Amino acid sequence: MLTVRATVGFLLLGVYAGACGSAGSHNNNDATSNGSPTGRISSGSDAASTAGSDATTVPVGTADEGGLATDDGGLPSEDGGLSSDDGGVSGDGGLASDGGLAFDDGGVAICVTPDAGSTASASGYLGDWTPGDYPSDFSDAGDYLTISGVAGQMGNARQYAVHVPTGYDKNTPIPALFCLHGLGQTASLFCLDTGVAWPDKGDQENFVVIMPNGYMNSWNGGTCCGGAAQAGLDDVSLMRAIFAEVGTHVNIDLGRVYATGLSNGAFLSYRLACEASDLFVAVAPSAGAIGTAAISSGIAEFTTGLTTDLTSCTPTDKISVLDIHGTADPLIPYATQAPSLAVIQASNGCSTTTAPATVVPSGGDTTCVSFTGCPTCPNVNVTGCSIADGGHCWFGSSDCGTGAGSLGTAIVGNNSNFMQNTNAIWSFFSQLSR
């Protein structure tokens, strides 16, 4: 006999696959293009994610209760003063040439990181795309671009679409965001859903939205899910290849590349954190987990029996994560959030203690906490948001991101009275760069 979870998963797959007509279209409101300096310099609250407006306020270790400490004169202190593992501290008013924390002439801490560059400097750059959808009929007809010859794809041609924001200026590098759909969905069904609407957000905030399609409507996130995981496809290499192709046409800031997704797309988001932290600065999985056997083997019937090829999660670079999960998720248990975040916390060298999140605040049914003691130059943020009695949902979308209206919400569980995933995730991403 099928369990309730298996039944829900089967119904959800059917809802996703049969509800394409519910996807919303995006508007074309103008957005202002922002300039980008040749190096990244931040001070005040930008120099430390939890430090507030005082630039000499820095996270301290667990022995100090995970709180914040401020020295008396903008100088390094032994119990939580300004420090850097990649550039040291300069106390003579100059800037650290190779990146790290420095002081200006007034003793104010400044985080200096080398310019990450942009795709415009790469060999073969064309820079020929202007604002709009690629292909042009993506939002209306659901057509896609194709990419072939990618390693680990068993010879399959793969699909993706791109939205270049209305305010794009090819002379100014802009961020890029990967939108990754759930099991049984398509990019158009999820990313254009009226409550997800990443192209609209891209227009408002001036970033490129890259929307790939999964193999058999699935991704290989390790333990999850579907045909892509069963075939052991290398979807990390696919994301790299798609980014490289898009980067020949659009001037993308290499220090501001992000990924987010729902469910199976959340599993792939986490896998990108594990295996592509050199490219991605931050990821935001919703209703997903790290797809290692230790964390998520057999957590739901549609993952049972899969032999994951993700044996461990060991990011090579510091990576920020915002994990959003409902406590009553009927498909991917909420209990997977804590061990998933613990892996990222440890890899970044953050403290094991948490404090109320500031970039993504709590309210209503939503509680968000961030690990303290994470690197601050460049800024790293590891945050988990729990939605009390929340379901398997892209919160803030009236149909939970299913594209299936009230039927979708009835299957996946409760929405939130506070959390708005799209807005919260971009607020999180917009604070993070290399």
Side-chain angles (χ1 to χ4, degrees):
M1 177 181 294
L2 290 175
T3 65
V4 172
R5 186 180 296 160
T7 304
V8 171
F10 178 77
L11 288 174
L12 181 59
L13 178 59
V15 168
Y16 283 164
C20 297
S22 299
S25 60
H26 57 271
N27 60 39
N28 290 307
N29 295 332
D30 289 339
T32 301
S33 178
N34 297 318
S36 177
T38 57
R40 301 192 191 284
I41 301 177
S42 59
S43 62
S45 60
D46 290 332
S49 61
T50 58
S53 60
D54 185 345
T56 60
T57 300
V58 296
V60 299
T62 57
D64 297 294
E65 300 178 345
L68 301 173
T70 305
D71 62 41
D72 294 329
L75 298 176
S77 64
E78 294 181 355
D79 60 350
L82 298 170
S83 62
S84 171
D85 60 5
D86 62 350
V89 175
S90 171
D92 59 1
L95 300 180
S97 61
D98 57 350
L101 288 172
F103 296 110
D104 66 13
D105 292 333
V108 176
I110 300 173
C111 176
V112 182
T113 56
D115 186 4
S118 78
T119 56
S121 62
S123 175
Y125 178 71
L126 301 174
D128 54 338
W129 284 6
T130 57
D133 287 339
Y134 295 84
S136 60
D137 58 351
F138 166 66
S139 62
D140 296 325
D143 286 340
Y144 295 88
L145 303 173
T146 59
I147 185 169
S148 302
V150 179
Q153 292 300 315
M154 302 190 310
N156 293 303
R158 301 299 299 272
Q159 298 178 323
Y160 67 100
V162 180
H163 179 73
V164 180
T166 54
Y168 172 63
D169 175 357
K170 67 179 182 179
N171 297 310
T172 303
I174 61 174
L177 177 145
F178 278 73
C179 171
L180 303 172
H181 64 74
L183 178 65
Q185 292 185 306
T186 63
S188 61
L189 177 66
F190 173 63
C191 302
L192 302 187
D193 179 272
T194 53
V196 180
W198 276 118
D200 285 351
K201 195 66 174 178
D203 283 343
Q204 295 166 13
E205 302 292 345
N206 203 38
F207 59 86
V208 177
V209 183
I210 302 172
M211 298 164 279
N213 255 351
Y215 171 76
M216 297 177 64
N217 308 106
S218 66
W219 304 110
N220 182 8
T223 54
C224 178
C225 295
Q230 291 170 347
L233 298 187
D234 186 351
D235 283 334
V236 173
S237 290
L238 176 64
M239 299 306 117
R240 291 184 183 275
I242 291 174
F243 178 80
E245 177 59 29
V246 175
T248 66
H249 303 285
V250 182
N251 189 0
I252 298 175
D253 186 339
L254 293 174
R256 293 186 290 171
V257 182
Y258 316 105
T260 185
L262 172 66
S263 188
N264 190 190
F267 274 83
L268 181 55
S269 296
Y270 257 129
R271 186 160 194 165
L272 293 173
C274 299
E275 298 184 334
S277 59
D278 58 312
L279 174 60
F280 291 91
V281 174
V283 302
S286 185
I290 291 179
T292 57
I295 293 176
S296 57
S297 178
I299 57 172
E301 275 68 16
F302 53 76
T303 69
T304 299
L306 288 176
T307 301
T308 178
D309 56 1
L310 180 62
T311 57
S312 64
C313 179
T314 54
T316 59
D317 294 70
K318 306 300 184 185
I319 181 91
S320 294
V321 171
L322 170 61
D323 184 310
I324 302 173
H325 214 131
T327 64
D329 188 326
L331 299 179
I332 306 300
Y334 169 70
T336 59
Q337 185 190 63
S340 295
L341 284 173
V343 170
I344 303 301
Q345 163 263 316
S347 73
N348 284 317
C350 306
S351 166
T352 57
T353 61
T354 59
T358 55
V359 175
V360 183
S362 301
D365 57 6
T366 300
T367 302
C368 298
V369 297
S370 300
F371 286 95
T372 62
C374 293
T376 59
C377 185
N379 185 25
V380 172
N381 191 325
V382 181
T383 294
C385 290
S386 304
I387 289 71
D389 204 32
H392 192 74
C393 188
W394 187 268
F395 298 106
S397 166
S398 62
D399 59 14
C400 280
T402 63
S406 59
L407 176 60
T409 304
I411 292 173
V412 299
N414 295 327
N415 214 317
S416 172
N417 61 29
F418 181 84
M419 172 59 71
Q420 302 279 328
N421 272 30
T422 298
N423 291 338
I425 288 168
W426 183 251
S427 293
F428 183 80
F429 285 164
S430 66
Q431 303 297 309
L432 301 164
S433 64
R434 290 189 185 130

